[in-house]
Amino acid sequence: MTSRTPLRRRTKHVLVAVSVTLGLLSCLWVLSFLWLQVFKTEGSLPPKSRMPEVPSGATIADESMECASGGCWRTITVVPAAGQSPEDLARQMGLSEDLSLPPTLFDPASVYVGADPKEGKLLVHVGYQ
């Protein structure tokens, strides 16, 4: 009977530690979500993982960050493959219309993705809404 008591105590300590850790991680996620909702216009940028994939054949000519009164966003200049128009590239990337990407576990805010053809290139804009 005494050999089971330390095992139960250890199991209880492990369960408490796991519960506290999960609770703290949940609180941090909620705080990051609230931070992005309140201060997203203060220079926050979506992670690069939220940017659309560039198809093979197309190349990234430039990547920059821009800020204005509405917040900050990433701009990627993509050069289409030979014989492809910027409009075709936008359709291939799924950007023929502006998109609103829902929050993810690691990026708890909605992301705006848009594309504009300009001078034979495709300008892709990614920022928080």
Side-chain angles (χ1 to χ4, degrees):
M1 196 174 228
T2 59
S3 64
R4 294 184 81 184
T5 304
L7 180 61
R8 287 183 184 173
R9 189 175 299 149
R10 187 177 316 130
T11 302
K12 180 180 175 183
H13 288 296
V14 168
L15 288 175
V16 167
V18 168
S19 298
V20 168
T21 302
L22 289 175
L24 288 174
L25 289 174
S26 298
C27 288
L28 286 174
W29 187 86
V30 168
L31 286 174
S32 69
F33 175 78
L34 292 173
W35 178 267
L36 285 172
Q37 293 304 312
V38 174
F39 297 110
K40 63 185 169 190
T41 60
E42 298 298 321
S44 296
L45 288 171
K48 290 188 177 189
S49 62
R50 302 296 300 267
M51 295 174 18
E53 292 287 325
V54 176
S56 62
T59 57
I60 296 177
D62 187 36
E63 188 174 337
S64 63
M65 179 187 89
E66 300 175 38
C67 293
S69 61
C72 293
W73 59 92
R74 293 184 196 278
T75 301
I76 308 165
T77 304
V78 183
V79 178
Q84 186 179 36
S85 72
E87 292 81 5
D88 290 338
L89 177 61
R91 275 191 292 282
Q92 185 178 4
M93 293 176 70
L95 298 174
S96 53
E97 296 179 359
D98 293 345
L99 300 176
S100 177
L101 303 177
T104 65
L105 181 62
F106 297 109
D107 186 23
S110 296
V111 174
Y112 157 82
V113 182
D116 299 310
K118 184 176 182 183
E119 299 174 359
K121 299 175 184 172
L122 185 66
L123 301 178
V124 180
H125 309 282
V126 181
Y128 287 122
Q129 287 185 326

